[in-house]
Short mmCIF file of all heavy atoms in Angstrom, two decimals:
data_model
loop_
_atom_site.label_atom_id
_atom_site.label_comp_id
_atom_site.label_asym_id
_atom_site.label_seq_id
_atom_site.Cartn_x
_atom_site.Cartn_y
_atom_site.Cartn_z
N GLU A 141 -48.37 64.01 2.30
CA GLU A 141 -48.68 64.18 0.87
C GLU A 141 -48.89 65.64 0.51
O GLU A 141 -48.51 66.07 -0.58
CB GLU A 141 -49.90 63.33 0.50
CG GLU A 141 -49.55 61.86 0.60
CD GLU A 141 -50.62 60.93 0.09
OE1 GLU A 141 -51.79 61.34 0.02
OE2 GLU A 141 -50.28 59.78 -0.25
N LYS A 184 -25.05 51.13 -5.03
CA LYS A 184 -26.29 51.79 -4.65
C LYS A 184 -25.89 53.16 -4.13
O LYS A 184 -25.03 53.28 -3.25
CB LYS A 184 -27.01 51.01 -3.56
CG LYS A 184 -27.45 49.62 -4.00
CD LYS A 184 -28.02 48.83 -2.84
CE LYS A 184 -27.74 47.36 -3.00
NZ LYS A 184 -28.05 46.56 -1.81
N ARG A 197 -36.88 64.25 -1.05
CA ARG A 197 -37.45 63.10 -1.73
C ARG A 197 -38.35 63.39 -2.92
O ARG A 197 -38.38 62.60 -3.88
CB ARG A 197 -38.20 62.24 -0.71
CG ARG A 197 -37.25 61.41 0.12
CD ARG A 197 -38.00 60.71 1.23
NE ARG A 197 -37.23 59.60 1.78
CZ ARG A 197 -37.57 58.93 2.87
NH1 ARG A 197 -38.68 59.25 3.52
NH2 ARG A 197 -36.85 57.93 3.30
N GLU A 201 -35.33 61.65 -7.36
CA GLU A 201 -35.37 60.59 -8.36
C GLU A 201 -35.21 61.17 -9.76
O GLU A 201 -34.42 60.66 -10.56
CB GLU A 201 -36.68 59.82 -8.24
CG GLU A 201 -36.71 58.57 -9.09
CD GLU A 201 -37.68 57.56 -8.51
OE1 GLU A 201 -38.75 57.96 -8.05
OE2 GLU A 201 -37.34 56.36 -8.52
N GLU A 209 -36.28 55.96 -1.15
CA GLU A 209 -35.77 55.08 -0.09
C GLU A 209 -34.25 55.14 0.04
O GLU A 209 -33.69 54.58 0.97
CB GLU A 209 -36.25 53.63 -0.30
CG GLU A 209 -35.64 52.91 -1.49
CD GLU A 209 -36.48 53.02 -2.75
OE1 GLU A 209 -37.28 53.98 -2.87
OE2 GLU A 209 -36.35 52.15 -3.63
N TYR A 220 -49.52 58.96 12.65
CA TYR A 220 -50.54 58.30 11.81
C TYR A 220 -51.91 58.56 12.38
O TYR A 220 -52.13 58.38 13.59
CB TYR A 220 -50.26 56.80 11.79
CG TYR A 220 -51.25 56.00 10.98
CD1 TYR A 220 -51.17 55.95 9.60
CD2 TYR A 220 -52.26 55.28 11.61
CE1 TYR A 220 -52.06 55.21 8.85
CE2 TYR A 220 -53.16 54.52 10.87
CZ TYR A 220 -53.05 54.49 9.49
OH TYR A 220 -53.94 53.75 8.75
N MET A 222 -56.49 58.92 11.31
CA MET A 222 -57.58 58.86 10.33
C MET A 222 -58.18 60.26 10.21
O MET A 222 -58.49 60.90 11.22
CB MET A 222 -58.66 57.87 10.79
CG MET A 222 -58.29 56.42 10.58
SD MET A 222 -58.33 55.98 8.81
CE MET A 222 -57.60 54.34 8.89
N LYS A 226 -59.90 58.57 6.04
CA LYS A 226 -58.73 58.30 5.19
C LYS A 226 -57.46 58.36 6.03
O LYS A 226 -57.28 59.29 6.81
CB LYS A 226 -58.65 59.37 4.09
CG LYS A 226 -58.62 58.80 2.67
CD LYS A 226 -58.47 59.90 1.63
CE LYS A 226 -57.06 59.96 1.09
NZ LYS A 226 -56.66 58.80 0.26
N ASN A 249 -26.41 54.17 9.60
CA ASN A 249 -26.67 52.88 10.24
C ASN A 249 -28.17 52.60 10.34
O ASN A 249 -28.62 51.50 10.07
CB ASN A 249 -26.04 52.85 11.64
CG ASN A 249 -26.14 51.48 12.27
OD1 ASN A 249 -25.60 50.52 11.74
ND2 ASN A 249 -26.87 51.39 13.37
N ALA A 250 -28.93 53.63 10.69
CA ALA A 250 -30.37 53.44 10.86
C ALA A 250 -31.03 53.07 9.53
O ALA A 250 -31.89 52.20 9.48
CB ALA A 250 -31.01 54.70 11.43
N HIS A 251 -30.63 53.73 8.45
CA HIS A 251 -31.31 53.53 7.17
C HIS A 251 -30.72 52.41 6.32
O HIS A 251 -31.44 51.71 5.63
CB HIS A 251 -31.30 54.82 6.35
CG HIS A 251 -32.34 55.80 6.79
ND1 HIS A 251 -33.53 55.97 6.13
CD2 HIS A 251 -32.39 56.63 7.85
CE1 HIS A 251 -34.26 56.87 6.74
NE2 HIS A 251 -33.58 57.30 7.80
N ARG A 254 -25.41 49.23 6.88
CA ARG A 254 -24.19 48.72 6.30
C ARG A 254 -23.25 49.91 6.14
O ARG A 254 -23.70 51.01 5.81
CB ARG A 254 -24.52 48.13 4.93
CG ARG A 254 -23.59 47.11 4.44
CD ARG A 254 -24.26 46.29 3.34
NE ARG A 254 -24.21 44.87 3.60
CZ ARG A 254 -24.95 43.96 3.00
NH1 ARG A 254 -25.84 44.33 2.12
NH2 ARG A 254 -24.82 42.68 3.28
N ARG A 255 -21.95 49.70 6.32
CA ARG A 255 -21.02 50.80 6.21
C ARG A 255 -20.74 51.09 4.74
O ARG A 255 -20.55 50.17 3.95
CB ARG A 255 -19.71 50.40 6.91
CG ARG A 255 -18.88 51.56 7.37
CD ARG A 255 -17.56 51.05 7.85
NE ARG A 255 -17.62 50.41 9.14
CZ ARG A 255 -17.03 50.89 10.24
NH1 ARG A 255 -16.35 52.02 10.18
NH2 ARG A 255 -17.10 50.24 11.38
N GLU A 271 -15.00 59.51 8.09
CA GLU A 271 -14.28 58.70 9.09
C GLU A 271 -14.91 57.31 9.19
O GLU A 271 -14.23 56.29 9.20
CB GLU A 271 -14.37 59.35 10.47
CG GLU A 271 -13.54 60.59 10.68
CD GLU A 271 -13.89 61.30 12.00
OE1 GLU A 271 -14.80 60.82 12.73
OE2 GLU A 271 -13.29 62.34 12.27
N GLU B 309 -21.27 46.75 15.66
CA GLU B 309 -20.61 45.58 15.07
C GLU B 309 -20.52 44.43 16.07
O GLU B 309 -20.63 43.25 15.68
CB GLU B 309 -19.23 45.97 14.54
CG GLU B 309 -19.39 46.91 13.35
CD GLU B 309 -18.09 47.22 12.64
OE1 GLU B 309 -17.02 47.08 13.25
OE2 GLU B 309 -18.16 47.62 11.47
N LYS B 352 -39.64 45.74 -4.93
CA LYS B 352 -38.67 45.80 -3.86
C LYS B 352 -39.38 45.30 -2.61
O LYS B 352 -40.46 45.79 -2.27
CB LYS B 352 -38.18 47.23 -3.65
CG LYS B 352 -37.43 47.80 -4.85
CD LYS B 352 -37.12 49.26 -4.65
CE LYS B 352 -37.12 50.00 -5.97
NZ LYS B 352 -37.05 51.46 -5.82
N ARG B 365 -31.32 42.41 10.79
CA ARG B 365 -30.41 42.67 9.65
C ARG B 365 -29.26 41.68 9.47
O ARG B 365 -28.86 41.43 8.33
CB ARG B 365 -29.87 44.09 9.76
CG ARG B 365 -30.89 45.12 9.32
CD ARG B 365 -30.39 46.52 9.62
NE ARG B 365 -31.11 47.52 8.85
CZ ARG B 365 -30.97 48.83 9.03
NH1 ARG B 365 -30.15 49.28 9.95
NH2 ARG B 365 -31.65 49.67 8.30
N GLU B 369 -30.68 38.88 4.77
CA GLU B 369 -30.22 38.77 3.39
C GLU B 369 -30.07 37.30 3.01
O GLU B 369 -30.51 36.87 1.95
CB GLU B 369 -28.88 39.50 3.22
CG GLU B 369 -28.47 39.63 1.78
CD GLU B 369 -27.56 40.84 1.57
OE1 GLU B 369 -26.72 41.11 2.45
OE2 GLU B 369 -27.72 41.51 0.56
N GLU B 377 -30.71 47.35 4.12
CA GLU B 377 -31.37 48.64 3.89
C GLU B 377 -32.86 48.49 3.58
O GLU B 377 -33.58 49.48 3.51
CB GLU B 377 -30.66 49.43 2.77
CG GLU B 377 -30.81 48.87 1.36
CD GLU B 377 -29.67 47.93 0.98
OE1 GLU B 377 -29.03 47.38 1.89
OE2 GLU B 377 -29.42 47.77 -0.24
N TYR B 388 -22.34 58.04 17.90
CA TYR B 388 -21.06 57.93 17.20
C TYR B 388 -19.94 58.41 18.10
O TYR B 388 -20.03 59.49 18.69
CB TYR B 388 -21.11 58.81 15.94
CG TYR B 388 -19.84 58.81 15.13
CD1 TYR B 388 -19.53 57.75 14.29
CD2 TYR B 388 -18.95 59.89 15.19
CE1 TYR B 388 -18.36 57.75 13.53
CE2 TYR B 388 -17.79 59.90 14.44
CZ TYR B 388 -17.49 58.83 13.61
OH TYR B 388 -16.35 58.83 12.86
N MET B 390 -15.34 57.98 19.02
CA MET B 390 -14.04 57.40 18.73
C MET B 390 -13.62 56.54 19.93
O MET B 390 -13.69 56.99 21.07
CB MET B 390 -13.00 58.51 18.53
CG MET B 390 -13.09 59.19 17.19
SD MET B 390 -12.51 58.09 15.85
CE MET B 390 -12.98 59.07 14.42
N ASN B 417 -42.84 55.45 6.06
CA ASN B 417 -42.59 56.78 5.49
C ASN B 417 -41.15 57.22 5.75
O ASN B 417 -40.49 57.75 4.86
CB ASN B 417 -43.57 57.79 6.09
CG ASN B 417 -43.46 59.13 5.41
OD1 ASN B 417 -43.68 59.25 4.21
ND2 ASN B 417 -43.05 60.14 6.16
N ALA B 418 -40.66 56.97 6.96
CA ALA B 418 -39.30 57.42 7.30
C ALA B 418 -38.26 56.69 6.45
O ALA B 418 -37.31 57.30 5.97
CB ALA B 418 -39.03 57.18 8.78
N HIS B 419 -38.43 55.40 6.24
CA HIS B 419 -37.40 54.62 5.56
C HIS B 419 -37.59 54.56 4.05
O HIS B 419 -36.62 54.54 3.31
CB HIS B 419 -37.36 53.19 6.10
CG HIS B 419 -36.63 53.08 7.39
ND1 HIS B 419 -35.34 52.63 7.47
CD2 HIS B 419 -36.99 53.40 8.65
CE1 HIS B 419 -34.94 52.66 8.74
NE2 HIS B 419 -35.94 53.12 9.47
N ARG B 422 -42.33 56.24 0.40
CA ARG B 422 -43.27 55.91 -0.67
C ARG B 422 -44.28 54.93 -0.08
O ARG B 422 -43.91 54.08 0.72
CB ARG B 422 -42.49 55.25 -1.80
CG ARG B 422 -43.10 55.37 -3.12
CD ARG B 422 -42.05 55.11 -4.21
NE ARG B 422 -41.97 56.19 -5.16
CZ ARG B 422 -40.97 56.38 -6.01
NH1 ARG B 422 -39.93 55.60 -5.98
NH2 ARG B 422 -40.99 57.37 -6.86
N ARG B 423 -45.51 55.02 -0.50
CA ARG B 423 -46.54 54.13 0.03
C ARG B 423 -46.44 52.77 -0.64
O ARG B 423 -46.28 52.70 -1.86
CB ARG B 423 -47.91 54.74 -0.24
CG ARG B 423 -48.99 54.27 0.67
CD ARG B 423 -50.32 54.77 0.18
NE ARG B 423 -50.53 56.18 0.42
CZ ARG B 423 -51.47 56.66 1.26
NH1 ARG B 423 -52.25 55.82 1.91
NH2 ARG B 423 -51.63 57.96 1.41
N GLU B 439 -53.99 49.43 6.20
CA GLU B 439 -54.84 50.60 5.93
C GLU B 439 -54.08 51.62 5.09
O GLU B 439 -54.59 52.16 4.11
CB GLU B 439 -55.23 51.29 7.25
CG GLU B 439 -56.24 50.58 8.10
CD GLU B 439 -56.38 51.22 9.48
OE1 GLU B 439 -55.65 52.21 9.77
OE2 GLU B 439 -57.18 50.73 10.28
#
Side-chain angles (χ1 to χ4, degrees):
Chain A
E141 292 187 339
K184 297 174 212 170
R197 283 173 161 171
E201 189 154 40
E209 70 267 24
Y220 179 78
M222 283 288 171
K226 236 183 103 68
N249 187 61
H251 280 259
R254 204 161 234 164
R255 204 188 285 246
E271 287 170 359
Chain B
E309 292 187 338
K352 296 174 212 170
R365 283 172 162 172
E369 190 154 38
E377 70 266 24
Y388 179 78
M390 283 288 172
N417 187 61
H419 281 259
R422 205 161 234 164
R423 203 189 286 246
E439 287 170 359

